[in-house]
């Protein structure tokens, strides 16, 4: 199994960036990696924690040393939630985007059906 590297926030943010901000960033990045694996397996927001842990182990290229945190599971589930599209009501978009902060990606679907994640990259703690 090939190990996937998501990098870390400390490589993307300036020196002195708070640890909290970096944890938010890293959680969002991990959530998208795990959610992409889950989507390829046909999973959605209703996936079990065991299924999500299996996807996380694949993303990390090794068995998990500890269970996924409650916050990480919530971020993964957010990324697996119903996709927003151009047909989504403006209120639903606002609720999804601002409800996802600070570390929960959201899924969107383009007109051709291709899916993307919108990932909050924190700027200030």
């Amino acid at each position: 199994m090939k190990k996937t590297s998501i990098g870390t926030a400390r490589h993307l943010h300036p020196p002195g960036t708070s640890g909290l901000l970096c944890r938010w960033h890293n959680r969002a990045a991990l959530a998208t990696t795990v959610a992409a694996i889950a989507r390829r397996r046909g999973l959605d927001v209703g996936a079990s924690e065991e299924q999500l842990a299996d996807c996380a182990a694949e993303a990390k290229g090794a068995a998990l040393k500890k269970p996924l945190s409650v916050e990480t599971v919530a971020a993964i589930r957010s990324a697996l939630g119903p996709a927003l599209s151009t047909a989504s009501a403006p209120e639903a978009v606002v609720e999804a985007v601002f409800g996802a902060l600070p570390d929960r990606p959201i899924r969107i679907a383009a007109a051709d059906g291709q899916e993307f994640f919108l990932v909050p990259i924190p700027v200030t703690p």
Side-chain angles (χ1 to χ4, degrees):
M1 174 182 334
K2 183 180 177 208
K3 184 174 182 177
T4 300
S5 173
I6 62 165
T8 63
R10 71 183 168 115
H11 295 92
L12 298 170
H13 293 284
T17 298
S18 80
L20 178 62
L21 185 143
C22 289
R23 283 189 297 280
W24 289 340
H25 181 139
N26 290 339
R27 184 176 298 122
L30 176 62
T32 58
T33 303
V34 174
I37 292 167
R39 292 291 298 151
R40 285 194 293 271
R41 291 183 180 184
L43 301 174
D44 60 19
V45 72
S48 71
E49 288 198 27
E50 183 178 333
Q51 290 172 310
L52 297 180
D54 287 344
C55 293
E58 181 179 330
K60 290 180 174 271
L64 298 181
K65 294 178 183 176
K66 59 182 182 176
L68 296 169
S69 70
V70 171
E71 295 87 357
T72 299
V73 170
I76 296 166
R77 289 194 188 288
S78 176
L80 291 172
L84 295 174
S85 71
T86 56
S88 298
E91 298 81 15
V93 173
V94 168
E95 181 180 330
V97 170
F98 289 97
L101 300 176
D103 59 2
R104 296 178 181 187
I106 55 175
R107 192 164 51 100
I108 61 169
D112 65 0
Q114 185 174 7
E115 295 181 355
F116 298 86
F117 293 117
L118 294 181
V119 183
I121 302 296
V123 178
T124 57

